Amino acid sequence: MILKQSGSRGFRAYTSKHLDELLKRAGLGEEDRLRIRAVATVLPFRTNAYVVDELIDWSAVPDDPIYRLVFPQADMLPAHDVERLADLLRNGASTAEINAAAHEVRMRLNPHPAGQLNLNVPRIGAEPVQGMQHKYPETVLFFPKQGQTCHAYCTYCFRWAQFVGEADLKIASDDIGQLIAYLREHPEVNSVLFTGGDPMIMGEPVLRRYIEPLLELEQLDSIRIGTKSLAYWPQRFVTDPDADATLRLFEEVVKAGKNLAFMAHFSHPREMEAATLQQAVRRILDTGAVIRTQAPLIRGINDDAKTWATMWRRQHRMGMVPYYMFVERDTGPQDYFAVPLARGYEIFRDAYASVSGLCRTVRGPSMSATPGKVCVDGITEVAGQRVFVLHLIQARDPELVGRPFFARYDPRATWLTDLRPAFADRFPFETEVQPARLSA
Ligand SMILES: *Cc1c(COP(=O)(O)O)cnc(C)c1O
């Protein structure tokens, strides 16, 4: 196999070009492989030698959770779409023809949930600022242009639109000056979150260009980096040529009096077993940075309480702080991976109940939806009616944070939009009664 290699990092990316060969390793027949390749024309596929050789248990494929985490599945998309794309591949259709068909399928997949492209666009004067989101008063998200890929892609990723060649779907900027100007106009912002993609895909000199100017801003308490690199390429902090320089950069952030919060995405306890990962965690913590962990709850990958309890305990032992359990978002293959809210709540509760108080820093299950982060606190009976008890952990409107509200119990609901208010004609974050509900 000829692999993409970058410098002396030893990092090798496998892309859709290598998919067929990798699927043969999974022992899949020709028709199965073709249907999976058809899905990979629509949803991005990328993994690497570490994930393939160290994380996946090939004897357990196709049920292995890490295999399911990175390899597309034939039933992730509607069957008729998969058949049509598989036919095109089978008949040797041109790249242009395949891309056109794939584009059509993508546009039906809700590529930007929660109004991401138009709701949170910040402005300086009347000018929209590219590559930023400002949804909650104290936190700004920044998408560095060079950070718009990952060491491997998760099949359930809600940001998949960032990785396919659809220019209109991308959010990114390389203008740190604009971010600084925006922050000076918004002294209420005390936290900048670098996200992507994965900012840790950037080499140290580029990362430094984004981070260093922020250290001058007195208003900032924290700089966060959202990343899956610890799980997918821990070498980034141990043996990569710029590993030491990166750790020095983290140290400088801490010395400047800021909290460097490394927001690590771990989906499964298996990702925490490798010796390289353990070294990477130790080295990052030694800089004075804090590692907080988060992941979505995904059917067929981590949808049981024991997996979460094991994950939180292992993280805790290593000095990481469990932060969020997310509900899989309403985008792309959500139908395929979704766990009903009622079941998600049970999993969270059972896992939470079985760990020490020191792990109970975690919150969830939480939906990052248009009005904010909605947490499912429980299922109970009030005045003879079975209901979900919910609250907003984060909200566009801070007035709503931390106030309980109710929704009618529905065992099949998988997202906020499936829920109906209980004891009220609208949810607290709705300004008017939803027209669809009047006729219901
Ligand atoms: C989760 C999230 C944040 C950070 O929220 P915290 O509760 O402070 O972790 C910021 N912006 C968006 C859009 C988010 O989804």
Side-chain angles (χ1 to χ4, degrees):
M1 242 184 260
I2 297 171
L3 302 167
K4 212 184 265 176
Q5 209 166 343
S6 57
S8 51
R9 289 174 183 276
F11 178 79
R12 291 162 176 76
Y14 296 105
T15 66
S16 56
K17 288 194 289 292
H18 313 107
L19 185 55
D20 203 47
E21 217 162 313
L22 290 163
L23 294 172
K24 281 181 191 161
R25 182 162 172 186
L28 295 171
E30 191 151 350
E31 271 308 302
D32 285 338
R33 297 203 310 273
L34 197 68
R35 287 167 60 229
I36 293 170
R37 283 172 52 216
V39 172
T41 65
V42 175
L43 300 171
F45 168 73
R46 178 179 164 95
T47 189
N48 69 63
Y50 172 77
V51 174
V52 164
D53 297 328
E54 309 280 333
L55 296 187
I56 294 174
D57 174 1
W58 287 91
S59 70
V61 164
D63 297 329
D64 182 66
I66 310 293
Y67 174 83
R68 293 174 66 86
L69 177 62
V70 293
F71 280 82
Q73 322 286 317
D75 41 358
M76 276 170 62
L77 296 175
H80 60 273
D81 287 329
V82 176
E83 287 319 314
R84 181 162 150 243
L85 288 158
D87 279 342
L88 290 173
L89 290 173
R90 193 182 290 115
N91 302 329
S94 71
T95 311
E97 241 179 307
I98 294 169
N99 286 348
H103 172 82
E104 210 189 289
V105 177
R106 264 180 224 133
M107 292 306 105
R108 279 185 262 121
L109 285 177
N110 188 22
H112 277 298
Q116 288 202 74
L117 275 189
N118 37 40
L119 269 180
N120 309 313
V121 177
R123 289 169 193 278
I124 296 178
E127 278 303 296
V129 187
Q130 298 302 309
M132 274 167 61
Q133 283 181 3
H134 190 184
K135 180 165 169 178
Y136 309 130
E138 68 288 346
T139 308
V140 160
L141 269 59
F142 190 79
F143 298 70
K145 197 172 176 179
Q146 296 89 340
Q148 297 311 308
T149 185
C150 299
H151 292 96
Y153 292 154
C154 305
T155 39
Y156 57 68
C157 183
F158 75 93
R159 288 251 167 83
W160 59 271
Q162 297 278 94
F163 312 131
V164 293
E166 308 270 2
D168 291 351
L169 299 183
K170 289 187 189 181
I171 313 171
S173 167
D174 60 359
D175 193 344
I176 187 69
Q178 231 184 7
L179 173 62
I180 301 281
Y182 184 80
L183 294 174
R184 288 198 196 281
E185 277 188 18
H186 291 270
E188 74 277 16
V189 177
N190 58 38
S191 188
V192 170
L193 169 52
F194 287 100
T195 183
D198 192 325
M200 293 315 304
I201 203 83
M202 297 188 285
E204 183 271 341
V206 181
L207 192 62
R208 178 175 288 277
R209 259 195 278 137
Y210 284 105
I211 289 181
E212 228 168 28
L214 296 178
L215 303 185
E216 307 294 322
L217 292 181
E218 189 46 44
Q219 74 196 71
L220 290 186
D221 298 336
S222 58
I223 296 174
R224 310 193 217 187
I225 300 175
T227 180
K228 180 95 192 171
S229 56
L230 268 178
Y232 282 160
W233 188 250
Q235 291 86 334
R236 177 70 186 78
F237 309 95
V238 183
T239 52
D240 272 10
D242 57 347
D244 291 351
T246 301
L247 296 172
R248 276 197 298 276
L249 175 62
F250 290 2
E251 253 167 30
E252 286 167 41
V253 175
V254 176
K255 284 210 182 93
K258 314 287 186 203
N259 187 315
L260 178 68
F262 197 90
M263 310 302 290
H265 177 180
F266 286 109
S267 321
H268 193 274
R270 175 102 51 85
E271 296 168 325
M272 276 164 275
E273 282 172 11
T276 317
L277 175 273
Q278 301 194 16
Q279 264 177 293
V281 169
R282 193 65 265 154
R283 298 193 84 200
I284 293 168
L285 293 179
D286 283 347
T287 68
V290 179
I291 306 177
R292 293 183 182 271
T293 62
Q294 52 192 21
L297 172 64
I298 303 292
R299 185 153 65 86
I301 293 177
N302 60 20
D303 56 338
D304 66 279
K306 192 157 167 280
T307 299
W308 284 87
T310 307
M311 195 150 63
W312 294 336
R313 289 181 61 187
R314 213 170 268 179
Q315 289 162 357
H316 170 57
R317 269 190 189 220
M318 296 166 80
M320 301 189 271
V321 184
Y323 191 60
Y324 276 135
M325 175 201 270
F326 291 118
V327 177
E328 170 66 353
R329 214 160 165 165
D330 56 338
T331 179
Q334 193 230 9
D335 287 347
Y336 183 78
F337 290 115
V339 177
L341 296 175
R343 172 86 189 117
Y345 160 68
E346 296 292 343
I347 291 170
F348 180 88
R349 204 215 65 88
D350 290 349
Y352 190 83
S354 74
V355 295
S356 112
L358 292 171
C359 293
R360 294 187 193 175
T361 46
V362 70
R363 291 163 300 161
S366 164
M367 289 173 267
S368 284
T370 311
K373 279 192 174 65
V374 179
C375 184
V376 183
D377 289 318
I379 298 164
T380 191
E381 217 165 273
V382 177
Q385 190 179 332
R386 203 160 163 73
V387 292
F388 285 112
V389 185
L390 308 142
H391 87 278
L392 279 150
I393 296 174
Q394 269 291 11
R396 260 171 209 297
D397 175 3
E399 227 349 85
L400 302 175
V401 171
R403 302 187 192 280
F405 62 97
F406 301 98
R408 288 187 224 167
Y409 178 72
D410 174 354
R412 285 155 316 172
T414 59
W415 193 252
L416 187 62
T417 46
D418 299 331
L419 297 179
R420 297 294 168 260
F423 317 117
D425 56 9
R426 57 186 175 88
F427 286 124
F429 48 81
E430 292 169 339
T431 48
E432 52 193 73
V433 180
Q434 303 299 292
R437 262 176 231 154
L438 291 173
S439 50

